[in-house]
Amino acid sequence: MTRTDVPEAEAPRDAVGLRELASRHALLPLRIFLGVTFVYAGLDKLTDSAFLSAGGDGSIGDLMRGVRDTSAVPALVDLSLNSPVGFAVALAIGEILVGLGTLAGLLTRVAALGGALISLSLWLTVSWAVTPYYYGNDLVYLMAWIPLILAGAPYLSLDSVIRSRLSRRTA
């Protein structure tokens, strides 16, 4: 019998402990990646004066006008064009809040839902016409948020600290 054929009950305790530790923290790299990426994306938008303009090279206005006719939901693009700078600021602040919530593990499922909604709206508008579809990153981000919506952040998070304190109070 080889080492990999050993049933878990007979496996060395340290191997079982490592597997449990790895499974417990499996979503942590995803949380860190998505959190950092969304904070960076939001800050990048807020600090780019060209992006925060209704028109001109690199502006949110020109970007949205450029994708309007190829988006899956042109009405969503039209909504953003009512106030492109306001939309850009709201998007950036939303990305920062989602990223910080994800990194801290605070209201993680809510933050992940927010991230998924941002990614969904960007996929249906900005990257809808990207072909083949897997070249568009917004769909990948949308899918990446789903495990965090389902599982939250049960470890190394403010959610777990709050949950622990609440359970001690009720006990």
Side-chain angles (χ1 to χ4, degrees), residues 117-128:
L117 290 174
I118 290 170
S119 298
L120 176 64
S121 67
L122 292 173
W123 176 54
L124 292 173
T125 56
V126 177
S127 62
W128 180 256

Side-chain angles (χ1 to χ4, degrees), residues 62-104:
D62 278 6
L63 172 68
M64 298 313 283
R65 281 186 287 280
V67 301
R68 193 225 177 262
D69 293 335
T70 60
S71 75
V73 188
L76 193 56
V77 177
D78 290 340
L79 184 62
S80 73
L81 285 170
N82 287 335
S83 177
V85 175
F87 170 74
V89 170
L91 175 62
I93 290 171
E95 287 173 335
I96 292 169
L97 292 175
V98 162
L100 291 174
T102 302
L103 285 170

